Amino acid sequence: MGDSGRKAFICGHPISHSRSPIIHNYWLKQLGIAGNYTAIDVAPETFPQFISGLNEAGLVGGNVTIPHKEAACALVEKRDAAAELIGAVNTLWLEEGVVHGGNTDAHGFAANLDDSVPGWSSSERAVVLGAGGASRAVVFALQQRGIKSIRLVNRTLERAQELARRFGARVSAHELVALPELITEADLLINTTSLGMHGSGTPADVTRLPNTAIVADIVYVPLQTPLLAAAAARNLRTVDGLGMLLHQAVPGFERWFGKRPQVTSVLREILVADVEKRG
Ligand code: ATR
């Protein structure tokens, strides 16, 4: 371990854009823990060796991001229930030298809604836009929190159908043409597609949502996506994607460094400033 304390990381390819070092190093400093968290660029060819060499490298664990989340799920010796069902690992840790993998994205999504719109999980019907990796984490969270009906809408119907099969009876798959009708009875609308990122388009027309609906976007660049802006203009409750990024980091930090950190407004403002500066 050495004098500098425990060492954790985020690995991806590319990785320079990652905001996770800002979050974890802020918590280390704030909690007075000796340790560090660094970004490591790992090319896909070397990822298996990177995983098997964690112990020897003196690393206690870390995060995994694009494009390694699925590979990590296959490579780890043990995985938690969320990683198993989502099929992706975003958090690694060692237990007696054995590499464990978990997925904290679903936790991050739910904890952010708990913070921003308490009571959200009494919603009956959710419409989820998209059927990729992020959608799987969101569907896992919704199912775990007891949402009765989860309607998945995706440009490519087959992907939504595959996801619905994976998650069972509460999840149904629909084509984009069904969206205007489904939206009229959605208590919760969640965008998991890349639409709206860097100002590109709107994935859904919010004018047909009930007045009581909550609209969440997992995109956080920009912080207020066109979807969230349209929802806010209708006075609907909105939840941006930055909170999910912050909350997914909590369980990993606690595992590696032994203290549960807080997502505070001060930390959020640091991230907001970074999004505004770097995009
Ligand atoms: P992630 O892991 O971030 O979820 P992904 O697996 O590439 O990323 O999934 C991206 C999602 O955004 C998919 O649901 C994709 O729809 P398809 O399955 O039809 O590809 C959706 N998406 C991306 N660009 C889109 C667009 N221009 N219009 C509609 N859906 C789009």
Side-chain angles (χ1 to χ4, degrees):
M1 223 192 289
D3 288 332
S4 59
R6 293 166 163 253
K7 290 190 278 186
F9 60 88
I10 179 162
C11 64
H13 186 70
I15 197 61
S16 59
H17 65 282
S18 174
R19 288 176 230 271
S20 292
I22 302 176
I23 300 172
H24 290 283
N25 287 310
Y26 172 84
W27 282 332
L28 284 169
K29 199 172 161 199
Q30 196 215 13
L31 294 167
I33 298 172
N36 64 69
Y37 180 101
T38 52
I40 306 177
D41 196 312
V42 181
E45 315 83 77
T46 59
F47 188 67
Q49 292 102 284
F50 178 75
I51 294 290
S52 55
L54 291 181
N55 211 3
E56 219 167 299
L59 296 162
V60 295
N63 287 121
V64 179
T65 189
I66 295 166
H68 304 313
K69 286 185 178 188
E70 283 80 14
C73 192
L75 287 165
V76 295
E77 289 170 79
K78 297 221 161 166
R79 29 190 110 63
D80 70 9
E84 196 78 61
L85 198 54
I86 295 166
V89 156
N90 77 332
T91 305
L92 299 167
W93 67 96
L94 290 160
E95 284 181 29
E96 289 164 7
V98 174
V99 184
H100 285 59
N103 191 303
T104 67
D105 285 332
H107 162 81
F109 175 77
N112 183 35
L113 264 67
D114 286 339
D115 244 20
S116 316
V117 280
W120 70 274
S121 59
S122 58
S123 300
E124 291 212 353
R125 298 185 195 90
V127 169
V128 178
L129 307 169
S135 172
R136 291 205 297 271
V138 167
V139 171
F140 182 88
L142 295 176
Q143 202 171 47
Q144 239 195 357
R145 296 298 290 271
I147 306 302
K148 290 199 185 81
S149 162
I150 303 165
R151 284 123 183 223
L152 273 176
V153 180
N154 198 44
R155 180 178 58 184
T156 312
L157 179 63
E158 293 73 34
R159 283 188 93 189
Q161 287 171 330
E162 194 208 308
L163 214 155
R165 275 195 299 274
R166 195 180 182 109
F167 282 92
R170 285 180 172 183
V171 185
S172 56
H174 308 267
E175 287 179 285
L176 279 181
V177 289
L179 185 58
E181 191 56 38
L182 290 175
I183 239 176
T184 60
E185 44 179 42
D187 304 312
L188 198 53
L189 175 69
I190 303 138
N191 175 48
T192 75
T193 74
S194 47
L195 277 178
M197 203 181 276
H198 306 288
S200 67
T202 308
D205 175 12
V206 300
T207 59
R208 296 169 65 93
L209 277 168
N211 292 330
T212 51
I214 296 167
V215 180
D217 205 325
I218 67 153
V219 170
Y220 59 84
V221 182
L223 218 47
Q224 193 180 50
T225 60
L227 176 72
L228 294 181
R234 266 203 60 195
N235 280 323
L236 300 177
R237 287 169 294 168
T238 63
V239 182
D240 66 48
L242 193 57
M244 178 176 173
L245 175 74
L246 290 162
H247 282 280
Q248 64 75 35
V250 170
F253 186 95
E254 187 178 20
R255 277 197 190 278
W256 311 317
F257 301 114
K259 275 193 184 164
R260 195 162 182 90
Q262 298 290 313
V263 173
T264 60
S265 53
V266 175
L267 175 58
R268 186 183 151 87
E269 282 316 309
I270 292 170
L271 270 291
V272 168
D274 189 71
V275 168
E276 280 165 3
K277 191 168 131 202
R278 290 199 290 151

